[in-house]
Amino acid sequence: RTLNNFKNLRGTVDLLPDQLIKWQNVEKIILEQLFRASIKEIRTPILEMTELFMRGIGEGTDVVSKEMYTFLDRGERSCTLRPEGTASVARALIQNGLSNKPPQKLWYMGPMFRYERPQAGRQRQFHQLGVEFVGLDSLRSDVEIITLAWDILEKLGIKELNLEINTLGDNNDRLNFQKEFLKWLEANKKFLDLDSQKRIEKNPLRILDTKNVQTKKILEDAPRLFDFLSEKSLERYLNIKEQLKLLKIPYVENLNLVRGLDYYTHTAFEITSGSLGSQSTVCGGGRYDNLISQMGGIETPAIGFAIGLERLILLAGKDLDKKRETDIYIVNKGFQAEILALNLSRKLRNYDLVTELDLSGASFSKQFKKANKFKSKSIIVIGHNEALKNEFIIRLFNEESIENMEETISFEDVMKLDNWLDKNLLLKRSF
Ligand code: HAM
């Protein structure tokens, strides 16, 4: 294998500068929203003990049983590249004594890893924005979490979204249901697809969200978790739906929505978009009141969601692709001129301007062509003559009235430069 044969691993992608413009614009809008909602950032390691995910997410889930990137490190410890962020955040809060009071409102953004079959909108290394509210059990925290996810998607101009919600009840509700459901599953096993049959022992709840059409049909006659909810759980759920209505957040109830991770209790929700194709879920989340105590912390209610950033980027509008234009292109040639140009470009970084310093040493005409290619709004020219007089020429580029806009400015004359920039560029900022 020669060096130029190297390729990235299947299911991973390089994000190149032109693509990243959209990522950065999207991230900027998201971060603003989170900041304004007083949600603080948390960063946890990408690598964790394997045990954390086995216990946190559940051994019967697809994520843990089939999709984790797990390996022994040089000290023979089993490590896993995080497949999601919730278990890590829970661990970090417990370990740092932060899991209970006061409540924490946190976000994280970064790469996650799942060994899945890659396809459009599904990768092995992908990115999530996650938000977790820890220490809150009020109805309103459920409503706020759902609303936050919804508003982030709306702020990005994404339309035609569907919010599906369901409740998984508390542990007791689920145990009561599971007993009846297992009886029914055993009796109807032979009518189920193979995948669902396999799930009976490992993760029966997951059968509810099968994609198999025939199994779906048969499941219509199965006992429903909804009918096993305690009065308290039911009331909680009804109130959440009521509040969503009051806030005019449109939702559809999906009693088969169970989510792929084991830690959920009560509220579960997903936001999908038809324009994403088969991998249509852009956001998933729910309440996980037992996770923190299960992991050794004191009992702490919590709720959160994660948005898949690759899918979000696919959905976000074209206008977010727009890159910020170059404000000033610095054409320079000759030993002294080049030093002066370098120094001037440093000074210009004190302004909110995008400058491009030509480093080619090529002919003036070639440099002008480059400036043209960059569609720079203005241009600074420093040649041998300007350098001798310790000055530079600045003017709007490709402008008919060049004469009027052109100024020769001494390197000492900060005021004159300020004025020119103010008059010609700063007032025309695009962002
Ligand atoms: P999740 O449903 O497993 O939930 O993932 C959330 C989102 O991550 C999905 O809706 C999808 O947009 C994106 N995603 C998942 N797998 C892939 C993949 N292979 N390629 C591209 N995107 C993907 C969680 O991870 C929970 N931790 C969410 C949560 C936070 N629940 C409570 N707090």
Side-chain angles (χ1 to χ4, degrees), residues 84 86 114 116 121 123 128 132 259 263-264 281-282 304 308:
E84 60 106 49
T86 310
R114 296 184 193 178
E116 294 189 83
Q123 293 170 193
Q128 281 184 347
E132 315 287 354
R259 311 269 308 124
Y263 47 63
Y264 292 107
T281 310
V282 61

Side-chain angles (χ1 to χ4, degrees), residues 314-330:
L314 287 173
L315 289 172
K318 276 242 174 305
D319 51 325
L320 290 164
D321 259 327
K322 241 191 271 157
K323 80 163 160 236
R324 188 169 159 177
E325 289 163 24
T326 305
D327 292 299
I328 304 178
Y329 194 96
I330 306 177

Side-chain angles (χ1 to χ4, degrees), residues 393-408 420 423-424:
I393 297 166
I394 186 166
R395 69 175 192 231
L396 288 178
F397 195 51
N398 282 340
E399 195 76 20
E400 299 206 335
S401 49
I402 280 175
E403 308 306 329
N404 306 331
M405 303 299 178
E406 182 168 307
E407 296 250 27
T408 301
W420 192 93
K423 195 169 94 208
N424 294 299

